[in-house]
Amino acid sequence: MKRLFSLLLCFVMLPVLPVAAQQTKYDVVPQPPLSVAAKSYILTDFQSGQTLASLNVRERVEPASLTKLMTAHVVFSALQQKRITLTQAVTVSDRAWRAQGSRMFIEPNRPVTVDELMRGMIVQSGNDACIALAEAIAGSESAFVQLMNKEAVRLGMKNTRFANSTGLPHPDHYTTAEDLALLAAAMIRNFPEYYPLYSLREYTYNKITQPNRNRLLWLDPNVDGIKTGHTDAAGYCLITSAKRGDRRLISVVMGTASDNTRTMESQRLLNHGFQFYDTVHLYHKEREVTTIPLWKGSQNKLKTGFGYDVYFSLPKGQADKLKARMEYKQPLIAPISAGQKVGVVKFTLNDRPMAEHPLVALETVSAANFFGRAWDSMQLLFN
């Protein structure tokens, strides 16, 4: 397979055309027909980031307890930055104790650790746990919400705004299926040490055992998260992730009619992705793809590749139809630094644009001495 893709890479020298933008651009993959009983939904491939199935992905919806995924993201960030610790005792405020909706039943006169609060938030969906964590990190829930919104902007969640840490209804509290899939992928990618908490089936605190509401944890051994949500306005919602072999898919289902429906439709989405698509690991991070001509440098060729692993989600049986075209600006003049962008690789499937990835230098090349630069200048003049 690797030899096949190396043969498909063709090269174009562009004397005047500037290199394409840094951001990777994906087109939606051709999708087999699929009907899902939800107001909006999306199925994405974790490795490639590509969308495999979708409906109304940018329609603003109420996230309900799916909000707690961002709450957890901010908490995990605080742990990584050592602003809090797992064993740190948190004093429960009267406001956290009186939280409405689902609770883990913390008490004002009983200190609780950050670790316990995290489990109560993730497994038991405790609103009281969310508020207690928010106050411990930011001093107040309102200040914590500012951190949530700042993080949403950083992650590129363009149609999301949070008004609280719990997901309780609020007119200025909304998101989209597309943004939630982006958040779920960031959670899995950035916090591998904490993500396993989402696979816990139950948690006991204060002698009260509550089950995880994600029923797929019992029904599908490949499912290892992530979060359920429900209010009367939002309907029944579910973000799910499943891993089969090396492949991981993420589904988001919003506004279904019942707990059973969100479970079954999420399962259908995941099965659809695993059945009809393959994930191809096309190029490895910082592994040489090709060399390109270099002028006025201590060497006349430059090793190039990609700064990250390049994956594609493709309909089964279509991998051999993927083609790559490299474009780079010439003349390319030294000095060049490792990691510097020197070109772009454009991928097509059946002549349809699929993605663009920046081509980067894999080595640092210094400028040649005076005579070397003068010689190359003469060659460029005559060429």
Side-chain angles (χ1 to χ4, degrees):
M1 183 64 72
K2 293 178 184 176
R3 181 178 299 174
L4 169 65
F5 285 116
S6 66
L7 292 174
L8 292 174
L9 187 63
C10 59
F11 309 92
V12 180
M13 290 186 295
L14 300 172
V16 294
L17 184 66
V19 170
Q22 285 280 357
Q23 185 178 2
T24 299
K25 300 177 181 178
Y26 287 106
D27 275 3
V28 175
V29 180
Q31 302 175 12
L34 180 67
S35 177
V36 176
K39 292 181 180 178
S40 64
Y41 64 84
I42 191 170
L43 175 69
T44 64
D45 185 297
F46 173 71
Q47 278 93 350
S48 72
Q50 288 173 267
T51 298
L52 309 184
S54 62
L55 176 71
N56 300 330
V57 294
R58 294 176 184 172
E59 180 179 308
R60 288 184 177 180
V61 292
E62 183 181 315
S65 283
L66 302 185
T67 300
K68 295 180 175 75
L69 201 61
M70 178 56 83
T71 304
H73 196 283
V74 176
V75 172
F76 297 162
S77 294
L79 284 166
Q80 280 191 346
Q81 296 164 14
K82 302 188 184 304
R83 291 188 285 122
I84 58 172
T85 65
L86 288 174
T87 57
Q88 177 179 329
V90 175
T91 301
V92 179
S93 69
D94 188 69
R95 186 170 184 274
W97 175 54
R98 296 181 183 277
Q100 299 177 350
S102 54
R103 300 168 60 195
M104 69 174 289
F105 299 103
I106 51 179
E107 300 173 354
N109 59 351
R110 181 179 179 181
V112 57
T113 66
V114 168
D115 184 60
E116 290 172 318
L117 288 170
M118 283 169 44
R119 294 168 189 268
M121 171 181 63
I122 291 169
V123 183
Q124 300 176 329
S125 198
N127 292 339
D128 49 357
C130 292
I131 296 173
L133 284 167
E135 292 174 342
I137 292 170
S140 67
E141 186 181 16
S142 60
F144 185 85
V145 169
Q146 293 180 28
L147 298 179
M148 295 171 68
N149 285 318
K150 183 177 180 180
E151 190 65 12
V153 171
R154 191 186 70 82
L155 293 176
M157 300 172 66
K158 297 179 180 179
N159 294 293
T160 294
R161 181 172 179 79
F162 298 106
N164 56 61
S165 65
T166 60
L168 289 173
H170 189 283
D172 291 328
H173 194 86
Y174 55 82
T175 188
T176 65
E178 182 180 57
D179 282 358
L180 288 171
L182 193 66
L183 174 59
M187 172 70 74
I188 297 168
R189 184 187 315 111
N190 297 336
F191 305 109
E193 68 272 42
Y194 301 123
Y195 176 69
L197 291 172
Y198 286 94
S199 65
L200 296 177
R201 295 184 178 183
E202 64 178 27
Y203 179 60
T204 300
Y205 178 79
N206 203 12
K207 298 182 180 180
I208 301 171
T209 300
Q210 298 185 65
N212 194 315
R213 294 171 176 83
N214 183 0
R215 294 168 54 195
L216 283 176
L217 292 174
W218 283 267
L219 299 175
D220 185 342
N222 300 299
V223 170
D224 56 11
I226 301 178
K227 190 71 186 74
T228 62
H230 171 257
T231 65
D232 291 341
Y236 290 84
C237 311
L238 177 60
I239 305 175
T240 313
S241 183
K243 187 175 182 181
R244 296 184 188 178
D246 294 330
R247 298 183 65 200
R248 178 181 289 280
L249 301 182
I250 296 171
S251 68
V252 179
V253 171
M254 306 296 293
T256 67
S258 67
D259 179 13
N260 184 65
T261 301
R262 72 180 174 190
T263 301
M264 295 299 102
E265 296 300 77
S266 296
Q267 183 76 81
R268 287 182 63 238
L269 271 174
L270 294 169
N271 289 341
H272 175 85
F274 285 120
Q275 179 179 354
F276 290 106
Y277 294 93
D278 288 320
T279 302
V280 180
H281 192 179
L282 201 59
Y283 297 106
H284 290 265
K285 176 183 179 180
E286 297 179 350
R287 185 174 295 181
E288 181 181 343
V289 173
T290 190
T291 59
I292 61 178
L294 183 63
W295 300 87
K296 302 184 180 183
S298 56
Q299 61 193 51
N300 60 11
K301 289 187 178 181
L302 178 70
K303 295 179 181 178
T304 64
F306 298 98
Y308 46 80
D309 289 321
V310 177
Y311 290 90
F312 273 91
S313 304
L314 301 169
K316 285 190 180 293
Q318 298 290 305
D320 59 343
K321 298 179 181 179
L322 184 69
K323 295 184 179 181
R325 170 187 171 110
M326 186 178 80
E327 298 176 354
Y328 58 90
K329 187 177 180 180
Q330 279 290 303
L332 186 62
I333 307 295
I336 297 291
S337 300
Q340 180 177 335
K341 183 178 177 182
V342 295
V344 64
V345 180
K346 298 180 178 182
F347 294 89
T348 58
L349 181 67
N350 296 323
D351 297 323
R352 176 178 179 174
M354 289 289 293
E356 297 180 7
H357 291 277
L359 191 73
V360 301
L362 297 183
E363 56 185 337
T364 296
V365 180
S366 61
N369 58 28
F370 172 79
F371 295 103
R373 293 181 68 82
W375 176 254
D376 277 4
S377 293
M378 291 179 60
Q379 286 188 304
L380 287 171
L381 182 63
F382 287 106
N383 289 335

